[in-house]
Amino acid sequence: MGSAISVKDIRKNFGTVEALRGVSLEVDEGQKVVVIGPSGSGKSVLIRCINGLETPDSGSITVEGMDLADRHVNARALARDVAMVFQSYNLYPHKTVLENVTLAPIKVLKVPREQAERDGRAYLDRVGLSDKVDKYPDQLSGGQQQRVAIARALNMHPKIMLLDEPTSALDPEMVQEVLDVIKSLAETSMTIVMVTHEMGLAREAADTVVFMENGLIVDQGTPHYLFDETDNARVKSFLSKIL
């Protein structure tokens, strides 16, 4: 298996804040990596760097063989390989659910509308929303909107799915429906990197759990190692507060 994502010693400052202080991470094709850690540890900045939304000050990132520092890297090629699901659903309010899910494939990937709609309906069915294709986002609950956002990401047929705290903006009773969809994604061959506060999801869906604090990767390993075996005092202190 080749490397899907290779992050080497990246640093990123925002003014005087050192968000990333030399982070390296290798993610193999098909691997499921969950990044955990306290707020402000750099988790979201890392995932945004992998998606090209932030540019590191130093270090290198290669995604599916593309060097993100290379000015010739085609944003469209990156969009073809990497899809992202954010905390907020970022749906277009004036477009129906199906239109939201098909817009990017048609516009960015130049997929014929008929095919984009056929695939879009299939992915909406997969996230349990086949009865909502003609609704508008404000007619849906937060959990349903986030499931639309996941279907939209899937309809780009990405090799890599990035999820940045996909349940943190949801009411507690809606979290589970989104977690169930994400767990089903974890059973596919897609490469997944996810930032989450949901430790149950990290335990169930991850091959590797990465613990970040203060802009550094402090520890990483299998869920069993990180939750049950590690002697790292920082990890144990963090987990003791939330588990």
Side-chain angles (χ1 to χ4, degrees):
M1 285 203 323
S3 174
I5 301 166
S6 178
V7 175
K8 292 201 165 73
D9 197 29
I10 63 169
R11 293 168 186 273
K12 178 70 180 175
N13 295 343
F14 295 99
T16 57
V17 178
E18 292 182 294
L20 298 175
R21 297 165 48 205
V23 170
S24 298
L25 181 67
E26 295 290 326
V27 181
D28 290 335
E29 297 281 352
Q31 194 178 3
K32 317 295 183 267
V33 175
V34 171
V35 185
I36 65 171
S39 293
S41 56
K43 308 183 298 288
S44 292
V45 180
L46 171 63
I47 216 165
R48 288 173 69 84
C49 284
I50 293 171
N51 200 29
L53 295 170
E54 300 282 359
T55 305
D57 299 327
S58 62
S60 68
I61 303 177
T62 309
V63 177
E64 293 293 343
M66 291 179 281
D67 177 357
L68 297 199
D70 183 348
R71 285 198 301 277
H72 300 106
V73 163
N74 185 326
R76 184 167 283 173
L78 192 62
R80 198 166 43 231
D81 285 346
V82 184
M84 182 140 167
V85 176
F86 298 86
Q87 290 180 31
S88 53
Y89 332 115
N90 298 351
L91 301 177
Y92 292 105
H94 57 286
K95 293 193 180 298
T96 65
V97 164
L98 187 61
E99 286 169 340
N100 267 285
V101 168
T102 54
L103 192 69
I106 293 167
K107 288 261 194 292
V108 179
L109 303 185
K110 308 299 184 204
V111 174
R113 177 176 298 277
E114 196 177 307
Q115 183 191 335
E117 290 189 350
R118 189 173 59 239
D119 291 346
R121 286 176 188 276
Y123 285 123
L124 286 165
D125 184 46
R126 185 164 157 193
V127 300
L129 293 174
S130 50
D131 57 335
K132 305 288 187 202
V133 288
D134 297 322
K135 298 278 191 242
Y136 289 87
D138 66 1
Q139 297 173 292
L140 305 180
S141 70
Q144 290 169 333
Q145 290 188 57
Q146 190 60 294
R147 281 149 59 200
V148 173
I150 291 171
R152 173 181 61 186
L154 287 170
N155 206 18
M156 297 294 278
H157 306 285
K159 294 179 182 167
I160 298 171
M161 180 85 100
L162 305 175
L163 300 106
D164 186 7
E165 298 191 18
T167 58
S168 67
L170 298 178
D171 293 333
E173 69 270 17
M174 292 170 192
V175 167
Q176 194 56 49
E177 66 193 54
V178 175
L179 293 184
D180 289 342
V181 168
I182 295 168
K183 278 181 206 156
S184 75
L185 293 183
E187 290 161 13
T188 69
S189 60
M190 205 180 332
T191 306
I192 298 175
V193 182
M194 175 168 48
V195 172
T196 188
H197 293 298
E198 298 289 336
M199 296 302 132
L201 183 64
R203 204 184 262 278
E204 283 180 57
D207 305 317
T208 300
V209 181
V210 173
F211 178 82
M212 285 185 72
E213 188 175 62
N214 297 327
L216 293 167
I217 291 177
V218 177
D219 203 359
Q220 61 180 307
T222 64
H224 176 64
Y225 162 77
L226 212 79
F227 290 114
D228 305 317
E229 293 184 332
T230 183
D231 292 327
N232 188 297
R234 297 302 317 124
V235 178
K236 288 170 104 164
S237 164
F238 173 75
L239 292 175
S240 73
K241 293 190 184 84
I242 57 169
L243 288 181

